[in-house]
Amino acid sequence: MTRLISAGRSTLNYPDRGATARRPLPAGYNITHHRTRIGHGRTVLEAAGAAVTTFRAHRGSGMLVTADGGPVRPGDRVVVGMGVGPLRIEAPCEVIWTAYEPRRIGFAYGTLAGHPARGEESFVVDMEADGSVWFEVNAFSLPARWYMRLAGPVPPFLQQAYARRLGRFVRELGTGTRPAGYWRRWTGSRRPDTGWGG
């Protein structure tokens, strides 16, 4: 069942709350859509869903995520960190809706005041009737800060590239397969874990 909380006293910085749960996505935004086939069967669905809803996949793909432990719930606050040192950008978000269903697991978060963008992004693992399991990212966003506006088409390009990268990590975590040397390839480290803080 998909859970969507009421607006309450939120400080979301965009008006289209919950729009990633519907189609089409709202007009007037940059749109990101990416879908990755990650495997087959309930075991893959559950493993990939757990990796997504606990931010293990996000951390494994290189993002710094500050969030409460355990699976996400509507109303949870999350801070996603990008970059390093003085170039690090912190992006506060709020979980808008969650889906913990027999064939669909995932969530969406929306941007809060202080985020460099305005919009919403969903991360969902679902299993089709034939048993194939897919990971899908849908997002709509606009720049909220001067440097994001100055970057022009670069942020949407990077968001699409990140969706593809995240799909690869969800597949690896969902199926238990990982290319040899993957951690060293992305970070130069010999650490065998799944990412910063993961």
Side-chain angles (χ1 to χ4, degrees), residues 115-196:
H115 196 293
R118 297 185 291 121
E120 195 171 294
E121 191 166 18
S122 66
F123 310 92
V124 176
V125 180
D126 66 73
M127 184 168 66
E128 296 192 346
D130 66 357
S132 62
V133 179
W134 296 78
F135 172 66
E136 186 170 11
V137 176
N138 284 293
F140 59 90
S141 64
L142 286 172
R145 298 290 180 99
W146 66 268
Y147 52 85
M148 294 289 281
R149 289 189 288 273
L150 189 64
V154 174
F157 171 80
L158 293 176
Q159 190 169 28
Q160 185 71 37
Y162 178 68
R164 289 192 301 269
R165 179 177 168 124
L166 187 58
R168 290 192 297 271
F169 276 82
V170 172
R171 182 189 305 123
E172 292 165 8
L173 293 168
T175 60
T177 60
R178 193 169 291 148
Y182 92 103
W183 183 250
R184 185 177 306 136
R185 180 175 70 244
W186 289 113
T187 66
S189 170
R190 294 175 186 255
R191 289 178 57 200
D193 63 18
T194 60
W196 300 328

Side-chain angles (χ1 to χ4, degrees), residues 66-86:
T66 304
D68 290 338
V72 295
R73 295 290 177 204
D76 286 356
R77 296 292 176 98
V78 178
V79 177
V80 179
M82 300 165 276
V84 293

Side-chain angles (χ1 to χ4, degrees), residues 14-166:
Y14 67 101
D16 299 292
R17 179 189 187 90
T20 50
R22 304 180 294 274
R23 296 292 178 275
L25 294 176
Y29 292 90
N30 297 315
I31 302 296
T32 298
H33 172 79
H34 182 71
R35 194 165 189 244
T36 304
R37 188 176 194 278
I38 60 171
H40 190 274
R42 180 153 305 280
T43 300
V44 171
L45 170 73
E46 292 174 356
V52 168
T53 57
T54 60
F55 293 104
R56 186 173 174 220
H58 292 74
R59 290 179 175 121
S61 68
M63 288 293 176
L64 300 168
V65 180
T66 304
D68 290 338
V72 295
R73 295 290 177 204
D76 286 356
R77 296 292 176 98
V78 178
V79 177
V80 179
M82 300 165 276
V84 293
L87 299 179
R88 182 174 175 192
I89 298 171
E90 293 199 340
C93 301
E94 180 180 304
V95 177
I96 303 299
W97 58 261
T98 58
Y100 293 102
E101 302 168 9
R103 304 178 76 90
R104 184 170 177 262
I105 303 170
F107 73 96
Y109 56 35
T111 57
L112 295 169
H115 196 293
R118 297 185 291 121
E120 195 171 294
E121 191 166 18
S122 66
F123 310 92
V124 176
V125 180
D126 66 73
M127 184 168 66
E128 296 192 346
D130 66 357
S132 62
V133 179
W134 296 78
F135 172 66
E136 186 170 11
V137 176
N138 284 293
F140 59 90
S141 64
L142 286 172
R145 298 290 180 99
W146 66 268
Y147 52 85
M148 294 289 281
R149 289 189 288 273
L150 189 64
V154 174
F157 171 80
L158 293 176
Q159 190 169 28
Q160 185 71 37
Y162 178 68
R164 289 192 301 269
R165 179 177 168 124
L166 187 58

